[in-house]
Amino acid sequence: MAGHDDTHAGERGTVVAVVTDLLLRQKMVEGLAAAGYAARIASGPTRLRDALDAEPPTAILLDLEARSFDAVALIRDLRADPATHAVPILGFFGHTNLAVRDDALAAGCTRVATRGEMAMRLDRLMDRLLGGTPAA
């Protein structure tokens, strides 16, 4: 379901996750819910814009290796838009793709994490993203 969006309730705000991998999508929904966030899943930039128009997010999670769109260009667009300029962005990538990590940070991504960290430590990553705690 490439265009499928889900929203799940949470008390700490809404996080929009742009992710196409179904397994990671489910892990994110579960991890965000456990951390107290509403999860809104968007399958790409168009769905992300729809989600942003519906409700300003607390944060954006972004698959830096998505094949269906250019994540680094999307980060630049989000940083250039006054409505999303200050929204924290947590990008995630495969642990070996250091070039995309560096490009994402240069484009304005707030923090980056590996897919494994996203699946296993999303609560801590969110605390670091929104609370300013230094990465371990």
Side-chain angles (χ1 to χ4, degrees):
M1 288 189 248
H4 185 254
D5 289 351
D6 289 318
T7 303
H8 301 273
E11 330 58 69
R12 298 178 73 186
T14 299
V15 175
V16 178
V18 185
V19 56
T20 55
D21 179 272
L22 295 178
L23 217 51
L24 190 54
R25 178 185 294 192
Q26 187 59 35
K27 290 255 187 207
M28 283 187 182
V29 168
E30 292 168 2
L32 288 168
Y37 295 95
R40 184 153 176 96
I41 304 298
S43 57
T46 300
R47 298 287 184 165
L48 172 61
R49 285 290 169 199
D50 292 345
L52 296 174
D53 290 343
E55 177 182 2
T58 302
I60 297 169
L61 308 182
L62 180 60
D63 184 351
L64 298 176
E65 296 175 312
R67 293 184 179 143
S68 58
F69 62 91
D70 182 342
V72 173
L74 180 57
I75 293 167
R76 285 188 193 106
D77 290 346
L78 291 167
R79 289 300 176 230
D81 184 341
T84 56
H85 177 76
V87 175
I89 301 171
L90 174 59
F92 54 95
F93 64 101
H95 69 281
T96 60
N97 196 345
L98 301 181
V100 76
R101 176 199 67 186
D102 294 344
D103 290 346
L105 289 169
C109 195
T110 310
R111 288 189 176 271
V112 293
T114 65
R115 289 181 182 279
E117 290 173 311
M118 294 296 287
M120 303 301 291
R121 298 185 211 146
L122 187 53
D123 57 341
R124 285 188 246 164
L125 291 169
M126 290 302 298
D127 286 344
R128 290 176 183 153
L129 180 69
L130 299 172
T133 305

